[in-house]
Amino acid sequence: MKKVLTLVAVLLFAFTLAACQTDDDTVTIGANIYTFNDNFMNGVVRPELERYATEKGVELDVVDSEGSQATLNNQVDTFITKGVDVLAINLVDPAAAATIIAKAKDADIPLILFNKESTVAGAMDTYDKVWYVGTDSAEAGIIQGEMMVAAWQANASWDLNSDGVLDYVLLKGEPGHPDAEARTLESVKAFTDAGITVNQLALQPSTTWSTTEAAETMATWLSGSFGSQIELVISNNDGMAFGAIQAMTNAEVSIPIFGVDALEEALAKIVSGDMNGTVLNDGVKQAQATLDLAINAALGNDVLEGTDWVLDSATGTKAVRVSYVAVDATNVADFQ
């Protein structure tokens, strides 16, 4: 009888242990989007995060930080209190990376930053369980610039006053955001590198990157003293390009315009001729890489285990960078 009881006890212990192991094997991820109002982050990245999490069999809790770093800080505290296995964080303010990294480090929870890279020198080096998934910020500007230079050189009619000088306006996006700063620099630099003189008529920083604000800005520019001189609109994302196109339509003018992101609406506008080009910002791959690294980190594996992702060997950073691709009328069908 004693042997039977012992066997039952052993079986019960094994069953309980197995149940615990099943629970422990379910990776829980606390994630955020800096604002659900962002066309790219909420329309491309968030849906893929949720779809890929289901495919991978992990639990994903995604919250809206509503464009507030203070809100995000509180959300991270809540995730930590809940006991998530890993954090996947889209910073509101890239300069606040050190705060988020410190919270994760104190709680000994792995952290994947994505889409917005830390602008704080050395912040990533303070914790051995933090990685970044995003892009090479300069690459989008370089590719967009190369597209615009080729188009400008192929369309002499775009030089409205035939003075050989490109008169442009630029919708910049969020000041201090690495993507906004690098795209602004590199897209214009492509013209000067090609020996083309440029004249900036106006530039608008926008913390929202939004269609509505860009529409209002473009309408103001078009009705202003230099409105008839604008020869090119450079937009650092598609969302703002949509607003500029809306303003041009209302004013019954057509000016060449290029964006970044390759949203579905942008691809349709390239086909219709309302937009001249964009740059594929591959949110699907960025979302997948974010979860791949997060899951591996939560399980204590090498973050690249079982994946094709590579860490940025050029800069030696702990970053996976997804490449950009130029999209215009010649290849837009490949992305639809």
Side-chain angles (χ1 to χ4, degrees):
M1 183 65 181
K2 184 177 180 181
K3 288 183 178 179
V4 172
L5 291 174
T6 301
L7 177 60
V8 170
V10 169
L11 290 174
L12 284 173
F13 176 76
F15 176 79
T16 302
L17 180 61
C20 291
Q21 286 175 335
T22 300
D23 289 339
D24 289 343
D25 286 346
T26 301
V27 172
T28 58
I29 304 172
N32 79 305
I33 297 295
Y34 85 96
T35 171
F36 282 3
N37 290 326
D38 185 298
N39 306 52
F40 173 71
M41 293 304 298
N42 195 48
V44 178
V45 177
R46 180 189 170 200
E48 181 60 17
L49 283 172
E50 294 173 337
R51 186 204 68 76
Y52 199 56
T54 300
E55 179 181 316
K56 289 292 184 179
V58 298
E59 292 183 3
L60 177 71
D61 183 3
V62 185
V63 296
D64 180 3
S65 297
E66 302 176 338
S68 166
Q69 185 61 45
T71 298
L72 173 55
N73 293 347
N74 292 333
Q75 290 167 336
V76 169
D77 289 337
T78 300
F79 282 142
I80 291 172
T81 300
K82 286 182 176 178
V84 299
D85 296 309
V86 58
L87 294 162
I89 299 301
N90 175 212
L91 294 167
V92 175
D93 179 3
T99 299
I100 300 300
I101 292 171
K103 287 177 181 291
K105 183 178 181 180
D106 289 345
D108 193 28
I109 297 176
L111 168 64
I112 311 298
L113 299 174
F114 67 100
N115 182 256
K116 286 190 182 183
E117 192 165 10
S118 167
T119 56
V120 182
M124 295 282 288
D125 298 329
T126 62
Y127 186 34
D128 62 348
K129 296 180 182 177
V130 58
W131 295 267
Y132 175 70
V133 173
T135 58
D136 178 344
S137 294
E139 187 182 15
I142 293 171
I143 292 174
Q144 186 194 47
E146 291 173 346
M147 267 198 303
M148 294 189 295
V149 167
W152 173 262
Q153 292 174 330
N155 294 276
S157 63
W158 288 10
D159 187 1
L160 297 177
N161 54 9
S162 301
D163 64 352
V165 176
L166 169 65
D167 296 301
Y168 71 93
V169 294
L170 195 151
L171 295 161
K172 179 176 179 177
E174 184 181 348
H177 189 303
D179 288 349
E181 299 296 341
R183 291 172 189 176
T184 298
L185 173 68
E186 297 295 342
S187 61
V188 176
K189 183 173 178 290
F191 283 98
T192 57
D193 285 349
I196 300 169
T197 303
V198 297
N199 176 39
Q200 179 181 287
L201 296 170
L203 178 148
Q204 194 233 22
S206 167
T207 57
T208 66
W209 299 81
S210 79
T211 298
T212 301
E213 187 175 348
E216 294 169 352
T217 298
M218 190 68 198
T220 300
W221 287 344
L222 288 171
S223 62
S225 59
F226 57 83
S228 61
Q229 302 169 32
I230 301 172
E231 296 171 331
L232 180 70
V233 181
I234 305 171
S235 180
N236 282 341
N237 79 345
D238 286 343
M240 293 189 294
F242 301 156
I245 292 170
Q246 178 185 324
M248 287 191 277
T249 300
N250 292 341
E252 298 182 340
V253 298
S254 177
I255 303 170
I257 180 167
F258 291 79
V260 173
D261 284 338
L263 299 179
E264 285 188 14
E265 186 177 347
L267 302 181
K269 289 185 183 301
I270 291 173
V271 172
S272 67
D274 294 321
M275 197 165 165
N276 299 82
T278 185
V279 183
L280 174 63
N281 185 8
D282 199 332
V284 170
K285 286 188 177 178
Q286 289 177 52
Q288 292 175 358
T290 298
L291 286 197
D292 282 340
L293 268 63
I295 294 167
N296 272 327
L299 296 175
N301 300 332
D302 183 297
V303 289
L304 303 180
E305 184 172 311
T307 77
D308 294 327
W309 309 117
V310 296
L311 293 180
D312 185 352
S313 58
T315 62
T317 58
K318 297 187 290 183
V320 168
R321 301 189 189 280
V322 178
S323 297
Y324 288 101
V325 182
V327 183
D328 60 16
T330 65
N331 67 344
V332 65
D334 297 338
F335 301 93
Q336 290 183 301

